[in-house]
Amino acid sequence: MSVIEPCADAPVSRPFLRVLGSFELRIPLTDEASTTAPLGVDEHRLLALLAVSTTARTTRDLAAVLWPGRTADAALGTLQGVCDALGQLVTEADGTLRLSDDVDVDLARALARLRAWRRDPFHVESTTPDELVGLLGEDLLPGWTEDWAAQERERFRRVRLHALESLCQRLTAAGRFGPAIAAGLRVVEADAMKESARRALIEAHLAAGNVSEAVRLYDEFTASCSRLGLAPGTELTALFPPSPAWPVLHVRRPINFSGTVGRGFRTEPPARRAQVGVGPAARG
């Protein structure tokens, strides 16, 4: 059964279909007001299926996917009734069906921004990184259990998590730590045991000077590994290849927080000065 969740009220200039994070169709009323369209479950299901389809699909194919337990004629009849209810939101021609060009779909917007980033990564990363992270931050039709929805959700999930991890690394290297951390968090929230993403997020925090959060994320991961039978130590060292930032985490205790400045922190307590020949006692 599909999960239909209303989204926050927001004005739109044309019909807006949301399939990322939840499902909603908003219809403009005036230039400053819009409303959620009061459609039935079958109407929602058809709109969602068309939104994830990259090309127009035949009516027979759509009917078979949406109502597999019915005869072909019965399914086609149901589809025709749903199309009548949706009116100008869908376009039918030569036995195929697609969303009207007037319908704005967040998935299409996300994929367009992703293509723009791949064509010119530096431009997107310097101008609209937050928009791209936001668009890639949500699952497709979460909670929808139909086979077609699950398949499309997994396909988009692989694409978005790979892109977000790459964004985290690239934005960290560019010194844009806010969106870098946001991108890394999205991946870790979706897949807590993805080692490469965890490392990218930790290094983004270290670069931003968030040492305590980097340590927390590291310890959280080692604890999870331990629960799965991975002993902290050699196994984790192998999971996280060495990098210039990484040794700081292997000497993380004790931490002298009074010595924390900027992006680094002092790991040696003041008492150690007497041990290395500093002061009158050493000279005597």
Side-chain angles (χ1 to χ4, degrees), residues 6-7 83 105 107 109-110 125 133-135 154 190 205 219 255 260:
C7 305
C83 290
V105 183
L107 175 61
R109 190 184 297 177
E125 290 162 8
V133 171
L135 288 169
E154 182 57 28
H205 275 296
D219 287 341
I255 296 175
T260 301

Side-chain angles (χ1 to χ4, degrees), residues 100-122:
S100 167
D101 292 336
D102 193 42
V103 178
D104 183 15
V105 183
D106 61 350
L107 175 61
R109 190 184 297 177
L111 294 175
R113 295 303 297 159
L114 186 57
R115 288 191 293 270
W117 173 61
R118 287 172 173 168
R119 287 194 303 268
D120 190 352
F122 296 103

Side-chain angles (χ1 to χ4, degrees), residues 176-198:
R176 302 180 67 84
F177 303 128
I181 290 171
L185 276 173
R186 296 288 193 172
V187 187
V188 169
E189 289 169 354
D191 188 350
M193 297 306 296
K194 188 172 175 60
E195 297 94 348
S196 58
R198 178 75 58 145

